[in-house]
């Protein structure tokens, strides 16, 4: 597989993700994923990549209303601007904008992300033991937007 890790750049979350997505899409489909979702395993990333091969977009919502993963086959600037980031509205508004643009997309089962210390207590113990990518050789070529570590040991 081929990996490209890009720095976030400046601006709000939407500007940073949008800039990376737009650049990465010149080389092919892109999967944008947060680093705050221990349940986002290699199997789930592979499932998203498989869904993206059939559709123009794929979304894995977070249980808190955001999303853990957004996959795109083409540039959709409306997904990255005027978005109320870090609110319960993000995933629903993203889906609404995909529908308005008549984009064929898949929504995979929601996952729990880690935004607060209390979120850790709600995760099953095995979720904390699974790295996001167990075996990079199982994944297709993807581009990653790294949001950096979510906690330091």
């Amino acid at each position: 597989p081929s990996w490209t890790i890009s720095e976030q750049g400046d601006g709000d979350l939407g500007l940073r993700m949008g800039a990376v997505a737009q650049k990465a899409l010149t080389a092919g489909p892109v999967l944008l994923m947060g680093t705050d979702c221990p349940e986002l395993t290699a199997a789930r990333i592979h499932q998203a990549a498989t869904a993206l091969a059939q559709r123009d977009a794929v979304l894995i919502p977070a249980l808190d209303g955001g999303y853990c993963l957004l996959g795109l086959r083409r540039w959709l600037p409306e997904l990255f601007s005027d978005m109320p980031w870090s609110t319960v509205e993000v995933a629903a508004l993203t889906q609404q904008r995909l529908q308005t643009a008549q984009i064929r997309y898949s929504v995979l089962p929601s996952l729990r992300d880690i935004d607060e210390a209390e979120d850790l207590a709600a995760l099953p113990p095995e979720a904390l033991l699974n790295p996001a990518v167990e075996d990079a050789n199982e994944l297709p070529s993807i581009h990653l937007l790294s949001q950096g570590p979510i906690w330091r040991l």
Side-chain angles (χ1 to χ4, degrees):
S2 170
W3 297 83
T4 301
I5 299 177
S6 300
E7 291 189 29
Q8 290 188 36
D10 296 323
D12 72 8
L13 181 59
L15 287 173
R16 293 177 295 178
M17 288 194 319
V20 170
Q22 188 174 21
K23 178 181 174 185
L25 282 163
T26 63
V30 62
L31 294 175
L32 300 171
M33 60 193 87
T35 58
D36 62 347
C37 185
E39 294 180 325
L40 190 59
T41 62
R44 288 186 170 122
I45 295 168
H46 191 271
Q47 182 183 18
T50 300
L52 190 57
Q54 311 284 323
R55 305 282 181 172
D56 295 319
V58 62
L59 184 72
I60 298 181
L63 292 174
D64 64 7
Y67 57 78
C68 301
L69 180 145
L70 175 65
L72 300 171
R73 296 184 64 76
R74 62 184 171 119
W75 173 234
L76 299 166
E78 61 268 38
L79 300 183
F80 302 101
S81 62
D82 299 319
M83 184 71 71
W85 299 108
S86 302
T87 70
V88 299
E89 304 168 49
V90 174
L93 188 53
T94 298
Q95 289 182 68
Q96 180 183 34
R97 290 179 183 185
L98 288 166
Q99 291 168 0
T100 299
Q102 299 182 335
I103 301 299
R104 295 179 330 124
Y105 70 98
S106 294
V107 178
L108 302 180
S110 297
L111 301 175
R112 183 176 309 277
D113 63 358
I114 307 298
D115 295 320
E116 307 292 334
E118 302 82 44
D119 295 333
L120 287 170
L123 287 172
E126 64 272 9
L128 297 174
L129 300 176
N130 288 336
V133 178
E134 290 98 358
D135 183 357
N137 293 319
E138 295 178 11
L139 298 174
S141 296
I142 58 176
H143 298 272
L144 300 175
L145 168 64
S146 174
Q147 293 184 316
I150 55 172
W151 62 78
R152 299 182 200 282
L153 299 176

